[in-house]
Amino acid sequence: MRKTQKFPFRKTFSPPHKPPLTGPCPFRAYSFVPFSPLAMLDPTILTIGGIVLGIAIIERILERWGVIDLVDQFTKVMRFILPVTFYSALIYFFATFMF
């Protein structure tokens, strides 16, 4: 009498493909735009802002003293200086800011 071999039904087909159970590889992420509010404490920006603020305070003091002619001259000059100073400081800030 011959011996018969038995094969389980499930072993006749290849097992389904299962992905490995290892997790994703850790990696370091860096921020491309590091922003800190302390970056605005640049000495050049503070100096320009202090000068503009000082001129505005002097203008108010002269107005209280009644020297209107001098205040008008300050106002004419400040109408030009304030926007130029603001945009110059803004360009300087972004040009020297470390991205």
Side-chain angles (χ1 to χ4, degrees), residues 4-73:
T4 56
Q5 279 186 316
K6 291 184 181 180
F7 290 106
F9 180 74
R10 289 194 173 107
K11 283 191 175 181
T12 56
F13 298 107
S14 62
H17 177 69
K18 292 183 181 178
L21 296 177
T22 60
C25 297
F27 65 95
R28 293 183 181 177
Y30 295 100
S31 175
F32 292 108
V33 184
F35 183 74
S36 170
L38 297 177
M40 297 215 188
L41 295 178
D42 184 34
T44 306
I45 302 270
L46 290 177
T47 303
I48 292 172
I51 290 170
V52 170
L53 186 62
I55 291 173
I57 290 172
I58 289 171
E59 183 181 350
R60 293 297 173 196
I61 290 172
L62 290 174
E63 186 179 354
R64 285 186 186 176
W65 287 353
V67 190
I68 302 299
D69 295 335
L70 195 55
V71 171
D72 287 339
Q73 294 298 324

Side-chain angles (χ1 to χ4, degrees), residues 53-95:
L53 186 62
I55 291 173
I57 290 172
I58 289 171
E59 183 181 350
R60 293 297 173 196
I61 290 172
L62 290 174
E63 186 179 354
R64 285 186 186 176
W65 287 353
V67 190
I68 302 299
D69 295 335
L70 195 55
V71 171
D72 287 339
Q73 294 298 324
F74 265 108
T75 304
K76 288 178 185 176
V77 171
M78 291 302 283
R79 281 185 186 163
F80 175 75
I81 289 178
L82 281 176
V84 170
T85 305
F86 172 75
Y87 288 117
S88 300
L90 193 65
I91 290 170
Y92 173 79
F93 176 72
F94 284 115

